[in-house]
Amino acid sequence: MNDLSLILMRHNKNVPAPIIRPHPIQFYELTLLVRGSLCYFLNGTPVQLQPGDAIFVKKGTHRARPVTGEPADYVSFNFQTEAPPALPTHMAGVLEHDVHLILAAADEISSIAETADNTALIHLLQALLLLLIHKQETKKIHPLTDKILQYLKQNTGRRITLSDIGALTYFSPVYCDTVFKRDMGRSIIDHLLEMRVSEAKALLLEGELSLKEIAERTGFGDSNYFSRIFKKRTGYTPLQYRKHTLR
């Protein structure tokens, strides 16, 4: 990453994130979410960020971000490099103390540095990328968590309880939830609901299914329950989300 060049650093401080219209990007982007929530569509696939998460978008990716109207605190770096870092698209729970220190330093430097000279910011971005790579290399997910994740992905549209998880893994539901939360930073049910809401967002934007059909397909079953959970997690009813995103 010695050839890295910084195009833009942006710190969005607790105001609604601007909409990004669908288009292929011509640079690499790293965004780290401090507070609030962000949803991206990468090549048509929804990626939902929670506080503490990061997203790495590769050059050439067809990227979009719908408007939510919710305040969000996040830092984005747009950059070019001939040797892109080996990072996954979605990195959960990576904003630990060390990352926050780098972001604070970047904030300080960007406030005093000359516009034409971003050498110090480039060095900080290189350090941040190396730190994230190290975190991914050393991160160990328990085989039990991995098995649960695969089950949730394959059965998102079905009714799933902690008892089902226990029967699948031959461990107690409480133990499964404890291990999963340690690895993923959220409970099994909370993660499942987030997956269902993300899938529902994509179906809402396609505009071909009714709310009842979307509720059934995403595992919520009842459309009233679906609407209640969707609004709690996004701030919008499903119909409001569709209207605000497509306007």
Side-chain angles (χ1 to χ4, degrees):
M1 293 181 290
N2 292 331
D3 65 329
L4 187 148
S5 61
L6 181 64
I7 300 172
L8 173 72
M9 173 196 162
R10 170 188 172 86
H11 189 167
N12 191 86
K13 298 183 178 180
N14 291 314
V15 296
I19 188 172
I20 298 177
R21 301 292 181 185
H23 71 284
I25 64 172
Q26 302 305 314
F27 48 81
Y28 295 92
E29 177 186 314
L30 174 68
T31 295
L32 306 101
L33 180 61
V34 181
R35 282 182 293 274
S37 64
L38 290 174
C39 180
Y40 288 82
F41 285 86
L42 305 181
N43 296 326
T45 300
V47 179
Q48 182 73 40
L49 299 188
Q50 298 298 318
D53 292 358
I55 187 171
F56 175 57
V57 186
K58 295 180 181 179
K59 184 176 181 179
T61 300
H62 202 271
R63 177 194 61 164
R65 186 175 64 205
V67 63
T68 66
E70 302 173 33
D73 185 346
Y74 64 90
V75 180
S76 289
F77 297 90
N78 296 345
F79 60 95
Q80 296 283 13
T81 179
E82 293 299 321
L87 289 172
T89 300
H90 185 194
M91 294 166 277
V94 295
L95 267 73
E96 298 174 314
H97 182 63
D98 45 9
V99 173
H100 279 288
L101 288 176
I102 293 178
L103 296 183
D107 262 348
E108 183 68 20
I109 289 173
S110 65
S111 68
I112 61 175
E114 293 292 335
T115 304
D117 184 11
N118 57 12
T119 304
L121 283 175
I122 289 175
H123 289 324
L124 281 175
L125 176 55
Q126 289 173 327
L128 177 58
L129 291 170
L130 289 172
L131 179 59
L132 292 176
I133 290 172
H134 175 71
K135 286 179 179 292
Q136 296 306 304
E137 291 176 344
T138 57
K139 182 179 180 181
K140 295 181 180 179
I141 295 180
H142 195 286
L144 178 60
T145 298
D146 185 59
K147 186 172 185 177
I148 295 170
L149 282 171
Q150 295 305 315
Y151 180 77
L152 296 181
K153 290 177 183 177
Q154 294 167 6
N155 298 277
T156 306
R158 295 178 51 195
R159 181 178 180 274
I160 298 175
T161 66
L162 288 180
S163 296
D164 296 328
I165 301 297
L168 169 76
T169 61
Y170 300 103
F171 289 102
S172 75
V174 173
Y175 178 75
C176 290
D177 207 37
T178 299
V179 173
F180 188 93
K181 190 170 185 178
R182 183 191 66 200
D183 287 344
M184 302 303 296
R186 58 178 72 108
S187 69
I188 294 173
I189 297 303
D190 189 46
H191 188 83
L192 175 61
L193 288 175
E194 199 60 55
M195 291 173 62
R196 287 174 170 167
V197 168
S198 293
E199 185 177 347
K201 286 179 177 179
L203 293 174
L204 283 166
L205 295 184
E206 289 177 5
E208 297 178 358
L209 300 178
S210 67
L211 293 188
K212 183 172 185 276
E213 290 170 324
I214 292 175
E216 292 173 350
R217 182 171 296 191
T218 54
F220 285 103
D222 178 75
S223 57
N224 290 327
Y225 174 62
F226 162 54
S227 296
R228 188 167 67 252
I229 295 298
F230 191 92
K231 184 172 183 179
K232 182 178 180 181
R233 288 179 174 258
T234 68
Y236 291 99
T237 67
L239 292 180
Q240 287 173 336
Y241 178 82
R242 177 185 280 167
K243 179 179 178 181
H244 279 77
T245 304
L246 296 178
R247 68 182 177 183

